[in-house]
């Protein structure tokens, strides 16, 4: 496993399969986006092993964080 730290976010790059480069925020600022897995546990799933325990949320980085991620 390899981790990278960008500002106050630590990313396990083993879970990163896609990176969106050259995005723009609503305000027009350039950004880089990464989908990160977030657990989606229902109360009855704690004792069950399921294939799709993660939901992916796009996390958007701007400014120096976007440059750092893009350079990586």
């Amino acid at each position: 496993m390899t981790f990278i730290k960008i500002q106050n976010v630590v990313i396990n790059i083993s879970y990163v399969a896609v990176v969106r480069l050259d995005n723009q925020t609503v305000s027009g600022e350039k950004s880089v986006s990464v989908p990160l897995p977030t657990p989606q546990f229902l109360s009855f799933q704690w004792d069950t092993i399921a294939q799709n325990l993660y939901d992916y949320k796009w996390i958007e980085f701007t400014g120096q964080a976007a440059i750092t991620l893009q350079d990586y």
Side-chain angles (χ1 to χ4, degrees), residues 3 6 16 18-20 27-28 31 40-41 54-55 60 65-66 71-72:
F3 296 92
I6 300 172
V16 176
V18 176
V19 175
R20 285 185 185 162
S27 63
S31 70
Q40 57 175 354
F41 293 113
Y54 295 101
D55 184 27
E60 188 171 61
D71 288 347
Y72 181 77

Side-chain angles (χ1 to χ4, degrees), residues 53-66:
L53 292 178
Y54 295 101
D55 184 27
Y56 288 83
K57 305 287 183 192
W58 284 92
I59 307 298
E60 188 171 61
F61 295 92
T62 59
Q64 185 60 43

Side-chain angles (χ1 to χ4, degrees), residues 30-45:
K30 287 191 174 191
S31 70
V32 174
S33 299
V34 177
L36 297 179
T38 55
Q40 57 175 354
F41 293 113
L42 299 175
S43 59
F44 62 86
Q45 285 182 323

Side-chain angles (χ1 to χ4, degrees), residues 4-54:
I4 58 172
K5 182 177 184 256
I6 300 172
Q7 292 180 337
N8 65 343
V9 176
V10 176
I11 300 172
N12 179 349
I13 63 167
S14 297
Y15 291 102
V16 176
V18 176
V19 175
R20 285 185 185 162
L21 303 172
D22 298 327
N23 279 341
Q24 285 190 348
T25 63
V26 177
S27 63
E29 187 177 10
K30 287 191 174 191
S31 70
V32 174
S33 299
V34 177
L36 297 179
T38 55
Q40 57 175 354
F41 293 113
L42 299 175
S43 59
F44 62 86
Q45 285 182 323
W46 286 104
D47 297 328
T48 306
I49 298 175
Q51 292 294 327
N52 296 323
L53 292 178
Y54 295 101

